[in-house]
Amino acid sequence: MSLLRRLGRRRRVPCPKPGPAEVPPADRPFTIARFDTCLGDLSPEELRALIADLNARSDTVGCAVFRPPGEHECVATIFAGNLECFFMVAAARNLHCPVVYIQDPISYWYQGSPLLPDLDALCRRVVVPETGGARALLFGQSSGAYAALAAAARMPGATVVACAPQTFSDADAKGRISFVGIRALSAPEGLIDLRAHLAGHRDPDASRAVVIAAGELDNPAHMHWWGDYLHMLRLIDVPGTDLFVVNANSHVLAHGRINDYARLLADLAAEAGASPARRTEIVRAFLMELYGRI
């Protein structure tokens, strides 16, 4: 019996595939894998096996919900970034609260695909109702960080850790820059402009941490350049958003440090009801401990 069957139940909802010219409707059915298990209770071996099983189904399952029995003050939502599939489930390894995990290897920025509806529908149909009256904790990196920030605006008092998010469709802006010896990748058209989106959802109880690496040398730069500073600085005057530049060289900050970020999420979940200043201080102390040596 597979680990998925032993840990919980999987609910399949018919998901017809659209034709080449068809835009999937936001209210169409899609598959949600549901588990009555606590990720924080799994052994490392069980967690690795779970991630492997889910990755094997990542072309048919875009959303997994882990909901332990009982009442919970916090619900965590993790959005996968480009090609991460279910790898970032490992960031929830210390969480004893419900976890919603969303990934779409077809549409990295959650603009709608045969696997999942677009981000607005995902929030309306999954993230918001699964969170309910609990405090929301959202995490992601790159395109997953973009989705986490966009989704958080729909949930008052949310805590967000967004590693190197894209904040707007940047092809036009990058088209006015001459890249010499560097391949620049662009975010797609049609992204939510997070500067306007977050500024339009003022929330004095929110804590949104945007974290980027000082360099992107490990990408490596001669192959691609996301322009993390370009995206971060657009949020510099958005209330409730704290910006951090850390001593690192990778666009994907959590890769290779997943156990550390799992500890951060657990600390934030434990104090999800604390003041925004306290939650920001937890993030600041974590980043100082991890990256503070010069």
Side-chain angles (χ1 to χ4, degrees):
M1 181 181 295
S2 74
L3 186 67
L4 288 181
R5 292 184 181 276
R6 286 191 282 117
L7 289 178
R9 63 189 185 279
R10 186 162 174 240
R11 186 180 74 192
R12 280 191 171 276
V13 184
C15 179
K17 291 189 176 182
E22 183 181 349
V23 176
D27 59 350
R28 66 171 174 78
F30 58 95
T31 300
I32 300 177
R34 291 190 176 273
F35 304 91
D36 302 318
T37 192
C38 175
L39 289 172
D41 289 340
L42 299 182
S43 68
E45 294 75 18
E46 288 176 319
L47 184 63
R48 283 193 292 268
L50 171 63
I51 292 172
D53 280 348
L54 286 169
N55 278 341
R57 295 163 172 80
S58 60
D59 60 339
T60 59
V61 177
C63 179
V65 177
F66 304 88
R67 183 168 287 278
E71 299 295 321
H72 300 274
E73 295 183 359
C74 178
V75 174
T77 297
I78 297 175
F79 287 93
N82 298 20
L83 300 175
E84 286 177 347
C85 296
F86 286 94
F87 166 75
M88 295 299 285
V89 170
R93 66 192 316 148
N94 296 331
L95 293 178
H96 290 82
C97 64
V99 175
V100 179
Y101 190 97
I102 299 174
Q103 66 92 37
D104 192 338
I106 304 170
S107 177
Y108 303 139
W109 284 269
Y110 303 98
Q111 295 177 294
S113 78
L115 184 63
L116 288 175
D118 64 24
L119 183 57
D120 182 70
L122 280 170
C123 291
R124 175 170 45 84
R125 298 173 61 185
V126 180
V127 181
V128 172
E130 289 291 341
T131 303
R135 288 280 191 165
L137 170 63
L138 299 103
F139 175 72
Q141 62 180 3
S142 194
S143 59
Y146 154 81
L149 285 169
R154 296 165 168 85
M155 286 172 284
T159 303
V160 189
V161 178
C163 296
Q166 291 79 40
T167 63
F168 72 116
S169 298
D170 60 6
D172 287 345
K174 286 180 177 175
R176 294 193 290 272
I177 302 171
S178 296
F179 294 93
V180 181
I182 297 173
R183 178 188 174 207
L185 297 183
S186 297
E189 293 299 314
L191 293 193
I192 296 168
D193 187 327
L194 290 183
R195 176 186 173 90
H197 184 64
L198 294 175
H201 292 79
R202 291 178 178 267
D203 183 355
D205 294 323
S207 173
R208 309 176 189 125
V210 175
V211 188
I212 72 165
E216 296 179 53
L217 303 182
D218 291 345
N219 286 356
H222 72 274
M223 290 181 61
H224 70 268
W225 182 82
W226 276 113
D228 292 342
Y229 274 99
L230 171 70
H231 289 274
M232 181 198 72
L233 290 175
R234 296 185 71 257
L235 304 180
I236 198 165
D237 58 353
V238 175
T241 305
D242 297 286
L243 310 181
F244 299 90
V245 181
V246 301
N247 181 18
N249 284 323
S250 179
H251 172 70
V252 285
L253 286 163
H255 287 184
R257 297 182 180 271
I258 196 68
N259 291 338
D260 295 312
Y261 278 87
R263 176 166 51 88
L264 170 63
L265 294 187
D267 290 345
L268 289 171
E271 298 204 44
S275 68
R278 171 58 184 156
R279 286 174 277 158
T280 299
E281 184 53 37
I282 291 172
V283 176
R284 189 187 310 277
F286 165 80
L287 296 175
M288 284 297 298
E289 177 187 343
L290 202 60
Y291 304 103
R293 294 183 180 180
I294 299 176

